[in-house]
Amino acid sequence: MKKITITDVAKHAGVSKSTVSQYLNERYDYMGGETKARIEAAIKELNYSPNFLARSLKQKKTNTIGVIVANILHVFSTQIIRAIQDYCSERNFHVIACNADDDPRKEKQFIEMLQAKQVDGIIVFPTGANKSLYQTLIMTNYPTVFIDRMVSGVGIDTVLLDNEKASKLAIQTFLMQGYQRIAMISPPLLPNITPRMERTTGYKQTITENGLSLRPEYIANVETTNVRDHLRKMLALREPPDAMLALNDLVLVEILHYMKENQLQIPKDLAIIGIDDVTFASVYNPALTTIAQPAFAMGKKAAELLLEKISNITKRREGIVYRFEPKIMRRDSV
Amino acid sequence: MKKITITDVAKHAGVSKSTVSQYLNERYDYMGGETKARIEAAIKELNYSPNFLARSLKQKKTNTIGVIVANILHVFSTQIIRAIQDYCSERNFHVIACNADDDPRKEKQFIEMLQAKQVDGIIVFPTGANKSLYQTLIMTNYPTVFIDRMVSGVGIDTVLLDNEKASKLAIQTFLMQGYQRIAMISPPLLPNITPRMERTTGYKQTITENGLSLRPEYIANVETTNVRDHLRKMLALREPPDAMLALNDLVLVEILHYMKENQLQIPKDLAIIGIDDVTFASVYNPALTTIAQPAFAMGKKAAELLLEKISNITKRREGIVYRFEPKIMRRDSV
DNA sequence: CTGTTAGCGCATTCAG
DNA sequence: CTGAATGCGCTAACAG
């Protein structure tokens, strides 16, 4: 079955290609009503649908955006993708999602690939390690918005959580409940992955602000696979922590595993708050107190910004940072 | 900053476009080593990258596939998407994921949209309600593979779980542990959504095969929002069930909610098995026994089939059904 | 070994 | 109101 083109339709309707083209683009200003009907009929009869590729090539617009997440394993990433997809879908944009796996090389490849595909813009969770590439994006005025992670010195609009506040909310909650020996476990601290840095800062700040002393032994930065080990060590201290902040969902799950394996009670043996509102938080036993990121709102905002950049050829000032407020979901783990 | 094209490169290198094109396609069979170097230099200097769109238009191949899931809310859908993406990514294919939201109209729109975009093929969780569209796909020999749901009378390759076996495994497990009053809760039974039908069949069959009588009051087909209500009714029966099969992840979560709200013990008050291996199954208290679908293998298989169809122009016989074995994850909820 | 010539399917002037 | 001509960026014969 041969693919039918605009030429076929034109022939079938007895008009010229350009007339059909005008019809397709709804510019029937001066088109004969009868002509219109004939074209309509021909299209239906031939079951014709225009080739977006050809159109895109000509119009230099693909109605597609790319999103590159740093690590798809986080709930947050998947929530963001969904939000973006929903928003774009309503506006007739398609999205191609890519997972950079926290690898700057992959990130670079994806960005280049997406550009080669002529996507109209990209939303990225930047690894932070491709500064010169980011510079090129901004120099060429390529519609881009960053999300989740802050890249300093590159003026690209960025949608972020107020990460310090996230930690602050958690610590304050612990304090209000009388916990004083508050620890935190984070994935490894890398300068480019700003959420962890900021959350750690928030933790430290809130601890000291409240007149508690900062104990280095209460802070762990470890790979997910080593979380349980470190937790064991912490709990074996002479003064073990009585409360624990899990810096993200993956860490939280590991902590829960450890608690379960060792038949420890939450919050009796250890109170827990996790940043990221995991799906099972409210059904868990006990229900988990979490700090939720407004992922849907953030994804929507990023998409909004991007589509706006895409349609407004006029370059507005860039580099604005949008901070979103975390929200504490009080449940029973503290 | 003007987009630079192959023409610019050719000019810059002092050769013709076609020579550059040949270089790009690695057909330097008889190309002068010096020419090659000049082109290479020009490309680097101009920071040129080819426009995939134009190439695709000419080659009638976009290196992109579409996947349409029926309902993105199920873990299974997201797992499948990931598996497909991973597989395709390695083979330089991109994937555009769409969520039909269980709406046949959306499904139709997406299929048409993706075809207009000239994607090389599609993988779909069929709603089942667009038979004539499916027929067209097969008639036009458009690379397509179905997954999760069976559509009868349409000869398209399909990747499925052995759903009857899934229920069977669950029921047998209950029986082995001495449970006799085994109920099940399913989302509404719709003829097109075959997994539910098959799982229900599996349930009924296994119950009767084991000499138990089928009690209609132990079978509920309800919207997610009504699961808790129905569960309440079941547990208020004179002979309430002592074991419960949750037909999918969404139902399972509702059941867990109810148990928690009413401070009921699992498995003491009600033993539970869920189909779909939710992420938190092993950390839950108690750890949840589930029937896992080999989502990764299934997604990979679907992608394999599709890419094979795409490369083999030769149409092989179609309509093969690939059944995958569910696996019981024995934990502590039964 | 390299350049010329045609399109791919569509949109856009610009004359009729 | 309509059609012929042109080009988007690239590939693919086919001659030189």
Side-chain angles (χ1 to χ4, degrees):
Chain A
M1 178 132 153
K2 168 184 158 302
K3 187 79 187 163
I4 73 136
T5 80
I6 197 172
T7 312
D8 302 319
V9 177
K11 223 176 300 175
H12 201 85
V15 298
S16 85
K17 287 197 310 182
S18 58
T19 310
V20 178
S21 173
Q22 293 190 127
Y23 170 86
L24 290 174
N25 293 289
E26 300 179 322
R27 297 146 72 83
Y28 359 74
D29 304 335
Y30 297 96
M31 192 176 303
E34 202 251 345
T35 310
K36 197 168 140 188
R38 274 221 311 283
I39 295 176
E40 210 154 340
I43 288 181
K44 195 141 280 165
E45 202 164 325
L46 267 41
N47 187 25
Y48 164 76
S49 80
N51 180 330
F52 274 49
L53 271 192
R55 176 180 293 181
S56 297
L57 179 58
K58 183 70 183 175
Q59 295 185 158
K60 297 172 175 314
K61 180 144 191 346
T62 52
N63 261 252
T64 304
I65 68 166
V67 5
I68 303 175
V69 303
N71 186 339
I72 191 78
L73 293 178
H74 291 284
V75 265
F76 181 63
S77 309
T78 63
Q79 291 168 337
I80 291 290
I81 291 178
R82 278 238 34 214
I84 295 173
Q85 241 155 10
D86 286 355
Y87 186 86
C88 289
S89 201
E90 283 172 13
R91 283 154 191 78
N92 243 300
F93 266 77
H94 276 208
V95 1
I96 299 184
C98 312
N99 174 25
D101 245 340
D102 267 322
D103 177 348
R105 286 212 336 275
K106 282 196 191 172
E107 177 184 45
K108 186 161 192 280
Q109 276 178 16
F110 279 129
I111 293 181
E112 286 167 353
M113 179 77 91
L114 287 170
Q115 290 206 87
K117 280 210 160 192
Q118 314 297 112
V119 303
D120 297 334
I122 55 179
I123 294 174
V124 7
F125 289 59
T127 61
N130 282 312
K131 283 263 169 79
S132 72
L133 217 194
Y134 306 148
Q135 293 291 3
T136 310
L137 289 176
I138 195 120
M139 294 311 305
T140 55
N141 205 31
Y142 189 72
T144 307
V145 358
F146 282 165
I147 193 165
D148 188 49
R149 276 125 96 129
M150 173 90 113
V151 178
S152 61
V154 182
I156 291 181
D157 281 0
T158 306
V159 173
L160 292 172
L161 181 72
D162 185 340
N163 286 293
E164 295 190 7
K165 178 105 178 255
S167 295
K168 187 171 184 175
L169 282 175
I171 307 303
Q172 285 176 337
T173 306
F174 282 137
L175 291 172
M176 265 185 327
Q177 299 297 318
Y179 296 95
Q180 298 267 325
R181 302 199 303 280
I182 305 169
M184 57 158 272
I185 298 185
S186 152
L189 282 187
L190 305 171
N192 287 328
I193 309 189
T194 55
R196 297 173 195 173
M197 305 292 281
E198 295 173 353
R199 289 173 194 178
T200 302
T201 305
Y203 163 89
K204 291 182 177 169
Q205 216 164 277
T206 313
I207 290 284
T208 52
E209 268 173 22
N210 283 277
L212 297 180
S213 60
L214 224 46
R215 308 199 194 183
E217 68 273 27
Y218 280 3
I219 302 180
N221 312 303
V222 294
E223 292 293 349
T224 311
T225 46
N226 297 326
V227 166
R228 299 188 211 184
D229 257 8
H230 265 77
L231 183 50
R232 177 193 335 282
K233 284 177 199 156
M234 271 194 202
L235 294 178
L237 290 171
R238 264 192 323 180
E239 282 197 301
D242 56 5
M244 175 64 72
L245 173 62
L247 237 62
N248 71 26
D249 55 339
L250 267 26
V251 170
L252 174 64
V253 168
E254 289 304 311
I255 294 175
L256 295 179
H257 257 301
Y258 182 87
M259 298 297 285
K260 190 172 170 54
E261 277 167 16
N262 295 278
Q263 304 181 33
L264 298 173
Q265 300 290 315
I266 304 170
K268 193 169 70 66
D269 297 317
L270 188 67
I272 295 177
I273 294 182
I275 298 181
D276 287 330
D277 194 32
V278 291
T279 55
F280 57 89
S282 63
V283 275
Y284 198 76
N285 292 311
L288 269 9
T289 296
T290 59
I291 308 294
Q293 306 196 45
F296 194 84
M298 292 171 74
K300 186 178 167 194
K301 182 67 181 178
E304 254 173 43
L305 286 171
L306 187 64
L307 295 202
E308 195 204 316
K309 280 182 210 306
I310 290 173
S311 53
N312 281 22
I313 317 299
T314 90
K315 45 212 129 191
R316 303 182 321 142
R317 79 209 136 95
E318 278 274 356
I320 303 172
V321 171
Y322 300 84
R323 287 271 179 190
F324 280 70
E325 290 291 298
K327 188 174 165 202
I328 180 148
M329 310 300 282
R330 289 214 129 95
R331 288 187 277 246
D332 314 316
S333 63
V334 39
Chain B
M1 179 130 155
K2 170 182 158 298
K3 186 81 187 159
I4 73 135
T5 79
I6 197 172
T7 312
D8 302 317
V9 177
K11 223 176 300 176
H12 201 85
V15 297
S16 87
K17 288 197 310 182
S18 58
T19 310
V20 178
S21 173
Q22 293 191 129
Y23 171 84
L24 291 174
N25 293 289
E26 301 180 322
R27 297 147 72 83
Y28 2 73
D29 301 336
Y30 297 96
M31 192 176 303
E34 202 251 344
T35 310
K36 197 167 140 188
R38 274 221 311 283
I39 295 177
E40 210 155 340
I43 288 180
K44 196 143 280 167
E45 203 165 324
L46 268 40
N47 188 25
Y48 163 77
S49 82
N51 181 331
F52 274 48
L53 234 52
R55 175 180 294 182
S56 297
L57 178 60
K58 181 70 182 177
Q59 295 187 160
K60 296 172 176 316
K61 180 145 189 345
T62 53
N63 260 252
T64 305
I65 68 165
V67 7
I68 303 175
V69 304
N71 187 339
I72 191 80
L73 293 179
H74 291 283
V75 266
F76 181 63
S77 309
T78 62
Q79 291 168 336
I80 291 290
I81 291 177
R82 280 241 26 219
I84 295 173
Q85 241 155 9
D86 286 355
Y87 186 87
C88 288
S89 203
E90 283 171 13
R91 282 153 191 80
N92 242 299
F93 265 78
H94 276 208
V95 0
I96 298 183
C98 311
N99 174 25
D101 244 341
D102 268 323
D103 177 347
R105 285 212 335 275
K106 282 196 191 172
E107 177 184 46
K108 187 162 191 280
Q109 275 179 17
F110 279 130
I111 292 181
E112 285 168 353
M113 180 76 92
L114 288 171
Q115 291 206 89
K117 281 211 158 189
Q118 314 297 112
V119 303
D120 297 335
I122 55 179
I123 295 176
V124 7
F125 289 60
T127 62
N130 282 313
K131 284 262 169 80
S132 73
L133 217 195
Y134 307 149
Q135 292 291 2
T136 311
L137 289 175
I138 194 119
M139 293 313 303
T140 56
N141 205 30
Y142 190 71
T144 306
V145 359
F146 282 166
I147 193 165
D148 189 50
R149 276 124 97 130
M150 173 89 113
V151 178
S152 61
V154 181
I156 292 181
D157 281 0
T158 306
V159 173
L160 291 172
L161 180 73
D162 185 341
N163 286 293
E164 295 190 8
K165 177 107 178 254
S167 295
K168 187 171 183 174
L169 282 174
I171 307 304
Q172 285 176 335
T173 306
F174 283 138
L175 291 172
M176 264 184 328
Q177 300 296 320
Y179 296 95
Q180 297 269 324
R181 302 200 303 281
I182 304 168
M184 59 159 270
I185 299 185
S186 151
L189 283 186
L190 305 172
N192 287 329
I193 310 188
T194 53
R196 298 174 195 173
M197 305 292 280
E198 294 173 355
R199 289 172 194 180
T200 302
T201 305
Y203 164 88
K204 290 182 178 169
Q205 217 164 277
T206 314
I207 291 285
T208 53
E209 270 173 21
N210 284 276
L212 296 180
S213 59
L214 224 46
R215 308 199 194 182
E217 68 274 24
Y218 280 4
I219 302 180
N221 311 303
V222 295
E223 292 293 349
T224 311
T225 48
N226 297 327
V227 166
R228 300 188 209 185
D229 258 7
H230 265 76
L231 183 49
R232 179 193 333 282
K233 283 178 198 156
M234 270 194 200
L235 293 177
L237 289 171
R238 264 191 321 177
E239 282 197 303
D242 55 5
M244 174 65 71
L245 173 62
L247 239 63
N248 71 27
D249 55 340
L250 267 26
V251 170
L252 174 64
V253 167
E254 288 304 310
I255 294 174
L256 295 179
H257 257 301
Y258 181 87
M259 297 297 285
K260 189 170 170 55
E261 277 167 15
N262 295 277
Q263 304 180 34
L264 298 173
Q265 301 289 317
I266 303 170
K268 193 170 71 65
D269 297 317
L270 188 67
I272 295 177
I273 294 182
I275 299 181
D276 285 330
D277 194 32
V278 290
T279 54
F280 56 92
S282 63
V283 275
Y284 198 77
N285 293 310
L288 269 9
T289 296
T290 60
I291 308 293
Q293 305 196 45
F296 194 83
M298 292 172 74
K300 184 177 169 197
K301 182 67 180 178
E304 253 173 44
L305 285 172
L306 188 64
L307 296 202
E308 193 204 316
K309 279 181 210 307
I310 289 173
S311 53
N312 281 21
I313 318 298
T314 88
K315 46 212 130 196
R316 304 181 321 143
R317 79 212 136 94
E318 277 273 357
I320 303 172
V321 171
Y322 300 84
R323 288 272 179 189
F324 280 69
E325 291 289 298
K327 187 172 165 202
I328 181 150
M329 309 300 283
R330 289 215 132 95
R331 289 187 275 246
D332 314 316
S333 64
V334 38

